[in-house]
Amino acid sequence: KYTKFSISYYWINSLGQKTSIYHRLENVPIPPGKENKTATIPYDYTVTSLENTSSTGTYYCNVKWDDIQIMGKGVFVLARDTGYVETFYVWEILITLTVLLAVLSITTTALLLWKRKVLCPRRNQVNILRNKVETQPPSASPPPPPPPVYD
């Protein structure tokens, strides 16, 4: 009595409409020595491709004997156009921060070197200034002192 049954796969969309996907009839022979015993036989069905986002819904399996009908719990499937893409910006932020710090470091170093060249005369220029001061006659007024040098 229970060796002949039908298996149906269908889905119910968000509007509550039932759409049949697959249906097949089964006739399972009972092996010798297994009569009057409960048996479990798995039947898998794979939904190969979802047509579009309207394929979103709950998918069910239904098994029907002459006097009994059993329905599965259902699996909810959410279909999207582009798929799920996780937005993760840690690498972008890290690279941007590194580039910004590098630019600031190079700029600061260049400014410090440029200021040093402007404020610090070369050694031979200091000696030339000293020689000029020493060779001036004593009656002349002394030149103003050079500006202080800072490193």
Side-chain angles (χ1 to χ4, degrees):
K1 176 179 177 179
Y2 297 110
T3 60
K4 293 181 182 180
F5 56 92
S6 67
I7 301 173
S8 301
Y9 295 93
Y10 62 93
W11 68 284
I12 298 176
N13 65 13
S14 60
L15 301 174
Q17 299 167 331
K18 182 178 178 179
T19 304
S20 179
I21 300 173
Y22 180 75
H23 180 82
R24 76 181 196 201
L25 296 172
E26 288 289 328
N27 187 3
V28 180
I30 299 174
K34 298 288 184 177
E35 298 89 359
N36 297 325
K37 293 186 178 177
T38 302
T40 303
I41 302 172
Y43 289 92
D44 295 330
Y45 179 77
T46 303
V47 178
T48 53
S49 64
L50 299 174
E51 297 166 8
N52 52 31
T53 58
S54 65
S55 299
T56 295
T58 306
Y59 289 73
Y60 293 96
C61 170
N62 188 13
V63 180
K64 189 184 228 179
W65 290 270
D66 289 335
D67 56 349
I68 299 173
Q69 180 175 335
I70 297 175
M71 187 172 87
K73 296 176 183 177
V75 174
F76 179 76
V77 175
L78 176 62
R80 294 187 178 183
D81 283 336
T82 58
Y84 178 71
V85 178
E86 185 176 343
T87 54
F88 204 67
Y89 298 110
V90 171
W91 284 108
E92 287 86 353
I93 292 171
L94 186 63
I95 290 171
T96 304
L97 190 62
T98 304
V99 168
L100 181 67
L101 288 175
V103 168
L104 287 174
S105 174
I106 292 169
T107 304
T108 305
T109 304
L111 283 174
L112 284 174
L113 290 175
W114 180 72
K115 285 288 188 182
R116 183 174 181 184
K117 285 182 182 178
V118 169
L119 292 178
C120 299
R122 292 189 180 143
R123 289 185 178 170
N124 59 0
Q125 287 178 340
V126 173
N127 290 336
I128 292 170
L129 288 175
R130 284 184 188 161
N131 289 339
K132 284 184 180 179
V133 169
E134 290 174 0
T135 57
Q136 287 181 353
S139 64
S141 63
V149 178
Y150 297 101
D151 277 345

